Amino acid sequence: MEMVLQQSATASILVGNSAGAGGCRPCPRPASMAVAAKREPEPDDQKEDGDAEAELRRGPWTVDEDLTLINYIAEHGEGRWNALARAAGLKRTGKSCRLRWLNYLRPDVKRGDFTADEQLLILDLHSRWGNRWSKIAAQLPGRTDNEIKNYWRTRVQKHAKQLNCDVNSKRFKDAMRFLWMPRLAERAAADHHHHLSSSSSPASSLPAAGDLTGCVEKMMMMTAMNDVSSNSEDRSPSSGLTTTTSSSSGGSFTSESNAVVSVAGEEWAAMQRQQQEENEFWSTATALQQLTGGEDQLCVSQQDMHQDLISGWVQGFSDGVSPDVAQLWSLDDIWRMQ
DNA sequence: AATGGTGTCAACCGCGACCTG
DNA sequence: TCAGGTCGCGGTTGACACCAT
């Protein structure tokens, strides 16, 4: 394991760049390089080396493969993926190369949690276009269709499950529209205010997306970040600090890693708060739904749609709510959710 | 400490659309 | 027009990490 981590750091160093993954959170799983590195080819896999007609490789990409692909595209450009895979000497299908590049290695791929703005946009666009992931992704610069699809399938569908309804049901759509989205909008506004009042955001200190060198820088950063997370016990940035600088990074990332971890510490705390709020929000929504009892209680009537959306929902809710529920969740609470 | 459940996300698969000779 | 190659999309899978028991 240690050897593997060293290799990933070494491979990055060979490219000769430094930090750069924009908006990376304290790394629940920052890069599949973690996976790839852990699964360097077994001895059995090495037999491919002596066989030009060896079978195509599958599964996680290694750091070497990533570098090969990045370097080849830097020199020759992307496209013609099957030919590219052969010419670059990668034992991968063109399809696999394309996917790896578009979803992961491309310099302008943004990583980390979706912002409230982005979440809002995803919810909104999905309500209009359905599972048109690539179309939705086109509206979110730096985000891939795969990432958005995963977000939808994990986070959004999880909330639907919490509400005990189908993600495509009117009930869930209403909950989304009248509970979740206003809340996200509120958070987005708060984020904007925060960014305006703070001199520089973590992302702004990182290289601008779009240049190919930034791509390799990103690999360096991801490797460093991965080391932080893989060495930390509780996944908090502070606990990752000491092990990062002392072991896997081999000292090469010391200052950068410290800076990253320092920034990550703030983001970590914010993330924790956000997660807690999120949990409270959905449990409240669930409780509310159960107390109001009906399958359709969360749905609004067609007329309500013509009113201001949020106040309309609140009115609809207040009309149908039982005294018990009213006690549990005062109107103040409802308004606070707007 | 062991184990099973769950969440996350990179990667793969199948298929249809498009391109090219 | 047609056949083979390529690309892009949406759905699914599998590995891993974390957490609860």
Side-chain angles (χ1 to χ4, degrees), chain A residues 240-251 253-255 257-258:
Chain A
L241 179 59
T242 51
T243 49
T244 303
T245 55
S246 63
S247 61
S248 52
S249 303
F253 300 106
T254 304
S255 59
S257 300
N258 281 339

Side-chain angles (χ1 to χ4, degrees), chain A residues 24 56 81 89 220 244:
Chain A
C24 194
L56 292 170
W81 294 104
M220 295 273 290
T244 303

Side-chain angles (χ1 to χ4, degrees), chain A residues 61-256:
Chain A
W61 280 63
T62 64
V63 174
D64 283 345
E65 287 178 310
D66 281 346
L67 290 173
T68 301
L69 183 57
I70 289 169
N71 288 332
Y72 188 88
I73 290 176
E75 203 170 329
H76 301 94
E78 56 182 284
R80 307 274 305 167
W81 294 104
N82 283 331
L84 183 153
R86 282 192 298 270
L90 288 162
K91 296 183 175 67
R92 295 274 180 174
T93 63
K95 215 172 185 178
S96 179
C97 292
R98 174 183 163 272
L99 202 68
R100 183 63 178 171
W101 175 253
L102 292 179
N103 284 346
Y104 200 84
L105 297 174
R106 215 166 27 126
D108 56 345
V109 170
K110 202 195 284 182
R111 311 207 69 81
D113 281 345
F114 285 99
T115 64
D117 272 338
E118 289 173 323
Q119 292 179 61
L120 203 49
L121 194 53
I122 291 170
L123 297 183
D124 179 42
L125 295 179
H126 187 275
S127 71
R128 293 191 231 170
W129 298 335
N131 296 358
R132 302 288 306 281
W133 306 119
S134 60
K135 193 173 178 180
I136 294 171
Q139 307 303 315
L140 287 106
R143 298 297 189 179
T144 67
D145 55 351
N146 209 29
E147 203 177 4
I148 293 168
K149 184 169 55 182
N150 282 333
Y151 168 77
W152 186 265
R153 294 187 66 83
T154 55
R155 320 284 172 78
V156 179
Q157 290 194 347
K158 181 181 80 178
H159 293 323
K161 200 175 173 185
Q162 275 180 278
L163 288 173
N164 199 27
C165 59
D166 186 85
V167 74
N168 293 315
S169 66
K170 184 174 189 311
R171 190 161 124 232
F172 183 69
K173 284 175 181 171
D174 284 339
M176 222 164 51
R177 192 170 179 185
F178 301 108
L179 290 172
W180 196 7
M181 289 174 74
R183 193 177 171 81
L184 281 171
E186 183 186 9
R187 189 183 296 155
D191 287 349
H192 289 156
H193 181 263
H194 172 75
H195 284 127
L196 282 175
S197 58
S198 64
S199 57
S200 66
S201 67
S204 68
S205 64
L206 296 169
D211 60 314
L212 204 55
T213 54
C215 175
V216 181
E217 289 173 359
K218 188 158 46 180
M219 287 187 67
M220 295 273 290
M221 171 68 92
M222 290 189 295
T223 304
M225 296 291 277
N226 171 55
D227 292 348
V228 171
S229 67
S230 64
N231 282 305
S232 78
E233 297 221 342
D234 62 1
R235 301 175 81 193
S236 72
S238 57
S239 68
L241 179 59
T242 51
T243 49
T244 303
T245 55
S246 63
S247 61
S248 52
S249 303
S252 299
F253 300 106
T254 304
S255 59
E256 291 91 341

